[in-house]
Amino acid sequence: MTSTLSRSRFVAAAASWLSCAPALAHHPMGGEMPTSLASGLLSGLGHPVIEPVHLLFLMGAAALAGASRMPLRQALTLLGVYVLASAAGTVLDMTAGAGALQLALAASVAALAPWVWTRRAPSAAAAGAAAAAAGLVHGLAFAETVIGAETTPLLAYLAGLALVQCGLLVAGCLAVRLAIERRPAALALGSRVLAAVLLTAGVGFAWAAA
């Protein structure tokens, strides 16, 4: 009974959080396009953190890279592929339908759930392709903030995006690897909780976008 009640409270809290997500500003500038080096940098640093769909993906990717059995160098390389692909998606002169893009973002979050649950990454080739595809999708979403921006704020925005994403991904990956050595049992439980959050959030984002 207690377990069922706890799950119900968790789902209710997640649903409430997801319902508030669309109301968040797309970046720290309150919806305004960055026009200077400082505003571009602040937008880049803040965008992946204040939007749940980006932050949850980064958390899931970092957890998977840290908890999987792949060598650390390979894990960090895959995270780097994602960051580079997101930069490419941001500067590509492409337009994507808002609904389709939101569904793709939701899918990228939900797709991490089974891998985080089992703590087993796909093959190196599949993981690299997935990292590049996810980076491109998130980069296209990041691009909505700087459409029409001048070169200086755009470059500052890209630098901010790269810095905050690299920092979160690498720190998360290393923290999980350290936790494996100290408390492997707790990590197993944490992986399942995070996987449940990712799946719930992904479905919620997709429902909101449909």
Side-chain angles (χ1 to χ4, degrees):
M1 178 66 178
T2 302
S3 177
T4 302
L5 183 59
S6 298
R7 290 195 196 98
S8 299
R9 288 177 177 173
F10 171 78
V11 172
S16 175
W17 183 61
L18 289 172
S19 67
C20 294
L24 293 174
H26 284 289
H27 55 88
M29 307 314 294
E32 297 294 328
M33 182 180 68
T35 57
S36 66
L37 186 149
S39 63
L41 183 62
L42 286 174
S43 292
L45 290 171
H47 197 154
V49 177
I50 66 174
E51 284 204 25
V53 68
H54 299 307
L55 182 58
L56 279 174
F57 179 85
L58 293 173
M59 291 172 59
L64 178 58
S68 65
R69 294 167 177 77
M70 70 176 68
L72 179 59
R73 179 178 296 181
Q74 181 183 348
L76 295 178
T77 298
L78 288 173
L79 298 180
V81 168
Y82 165 80
V83 173
L84 290 175
S86 71
T90 304
V91 299
L92 281 176
D93 186 16
M94 294 176 60
T95 57
L101 182 57
Q102 291 304 314
L103 286 174
L105 289 170
S108 73
V109 173
L112 284 171
W115 302 111
V116 172
W117 181 281
T118 60
R119 287 172 289 154
R120 292 179 180 275
S123 66
L136 182 62
V137 168
H138 285 261
L140 288 173
F142 293 144
E144 295 178 347
T145 298
V146 288
I147 294 175
E150 299 292 335
T151 301
T152 297
L154 174 59
L155 291 177
Y157 180 70
L158 290 172
L161 286 175
L163 283 172
V164 73
Q165 290 186 107
C166 285
L168 290 173
L169 288 169
V170 173
C173 174
L174 295 179
V176 170
R177 297 222 166 198
L178 182 61
I180 290 176
E181 299 177 0
R182 296 186 175 182
R183 301 189 65 183
L187 179 66
L189 176 60
S191 296
R192 293 182 178 181
V193 171
L194 179 57
V197 171
L198 292 170
L199 182 59
T200 302
V203 172
F205 291 136
W207 182 270

